[in-house]
Amino acid sequence: MLTVVLWGMIGAFLIPIYQMTRRGDIWETMLALSSVATKSSLIMLLVAVMRDDWMMGLVGVITLAVGNAGFMLLAHLLRRMAQTGR
Amino acid sequence: MTSETLVLTALLPLSAGLLVLQTNPYRALVVRGILGSVAALVYALLGAADVALTEALVGTLLAVILYAVAVRSSLVVRLGVVTADLEQRGKELQTLMTELRRVLGQQHLLVEWVTYAEPADLAQGLAQQEVHVICTCSEPMGIHTTTPILRLYEILQREWTIPMTVDYQPLVAATGGH
Amino acid sequence: MDIASGVCFGVGLILWWWGTPILLTRRSILFKLHYLSVADTLGSLALMVGLLIRRPQEWSLWLLAVLSLVMWNTVLGYVLAYCAHPPELRRDE
């Protein structure tokens, strides 16, 4: 059963990756980035349970806990860029 | 290797290729974040938990911040003007600034003002490469724009729409680096 | 036990599949952000509860994951909304 769930998660993971390939507003790419970050950690956690690998689960949790801080700085930088460009 | 690992591993070269193909530096930063996430996932799936942890911390946090600082501080064109000109001919200079921002914004460059008190200071600032472009309003009609950077001159020549003169004036002591 | 975690996984997957394709539509950025954050946060929460039911002996790890997920996704959603908001509609500038 976990394999089916994993395939479903991989399918959902492909959607923001496809979104990244399309031209559009940079904020849509940022949304895809936040989605990819969450989904990759969740896939890591699920595979950790499937393989009974405690260490991989720890990596997933740490990615989830610290991964988003850089994106917030990036978002603020992009906002400043949009302001000075006008 | 199981098939789900294979599918996720195939995403790594795919997103790396996309990162290389980006022309906008800011979008490339965001794609770098996505690549970091995918890479951390693939490393963890292949059993390298320590590498995955390093990639998650360095790739998505440190690299993005460092590149953001580098891009932000290097892709800037500084435009030098004399303060008196800015007071007397402010409106025309503002039009020029808007046009410069439009033209150079297509190349993802920012334009910033740098003001000088005297025309001599302005000339010295250009000679010492403190500014990349200067604007002088010596004659009553029109504004004279001068740049010592050939590539910038070519872009301005090609894209210029409002009637103002642009000059290319190479530095006397050519130091290179541009 | 298996059924309970299966239901949680199902709910999480349905939420993910419901919210993520909205990224591909041509709606406004705040609309997308709202649906995406709801789908990602709630779907991931449901999936994590399913994992917790399956492996209760590592509850501390799951608790940390759930807390950081909820906190960071909320904060990131707020920051993205603040930054992506069209500035001409904002009054403080």
Side-chain angles (χ1 to χ4, degrees), chain B:
Chain B
M1 191 188 275
T2 54
S3 52
E4 52 261 25
T5 315
L6 204 62
V7 169
L8 288 174
T9 311
L11 286 179
L12 185 59
L14 191 80
S15 52
L18 271 175
L19 171 62
V20 173
L21 290 177
Q22 297 296 321
T23 48
N24 183 341
Y26 300 100
R27 186 181 281 273
L29 273 180
V30 183
V31 179
R32 175 69 182 83
I34 295 182
L35 173 68
S37 292
V38 175
L41 174 62
V42 170
Y43 296 154
L45 286 185
L46 295 180
D50 47 350
V51 186
L53 192 56
T54 313
E55 175 65 36
L57 292 176
V58 173
T60 65
L61 211 71
L62 191 64
V64 166
I65 293 171
L66 285 184
Y67 279 121
V69 171
V71 167
R72 173 67 186 85
S73 56
S74 63
L75 285 176
V76 174
V77 171
R78 285 188 293 277
L79 173 67
V81 286
V82 181
T83 318
D85 285 342
L86 200 58
E87 284 160 7
Q88 289 162 13
R89 314 278 292 272
K91 204 167 177 185
E92 289 167 72
L93 281 172
Q94 206 61 49
T95 317
L96 179 98
M97 188 62 159
T98 313
E99 179 69 8
L100 268 180
R101 283 197 166 137
R102 186 189 69 77
V103 169
L104 295 179
Q106 292 167 0
Q107 321 284 333
H108 313 291
L109 290 167
L110 280 182
V111 189
E112 282 178 356
W113 294 110
V114 181
T115 52
Y116 289 91
E118 295 291 326
D121 294 341
L122 184 64
Q124 198 185 3
L126 187 68
Q128 291 177 350
Q129 302 184 347
E130 287 170 11
V131 290
H132 304 111
V133 182
I134 60 168
C135 287
T136 46
C137 311
S138 48
E139 62 268 33
M141 294 293 288
I143 295 175
H144 204 69
T145 310
T146 312
T147 175
I149 303 165
L150 184 57
R151 183 79 191 107
L152 210 54
Y153 172 69
E154 286 169 1
I155 292 171
L156 290 181
Q157 276 283 307
R158 200 177 60 223
E159 306 277 344
W160 212 234
T161 55
I162 58 176
M164 284 177 192
T165 51
V166 188
D167 258 1
Y168 168 59
Q169 177 194 35
L171 289 174
V172 182
T175 47
H178 280 294

Side-chain angles (χ1 to χ4, degrees), chain A residues 35-76:
Chain A
S35 185
V36 163
T38 312
K39 284 180 168 59
S40 68
S41 331
L42 258 290
I43 291 178
M44 247 185 249
L45 287 176
L46 186 83
V47 175
V49 167
M50 276 172 76
R51 296 189 190 163
D52 218 352
D53 187 351
W54 196 79
M55 203 184 271
M56 196 197 277
L58 201 58
V59 172
V61 172
I62 292 177
T63 314
L64 209 55
V66 300
N68 282 340
F71 305 153
M72 284 178 207
L73 282 170
L74 191 59
H76 271 285

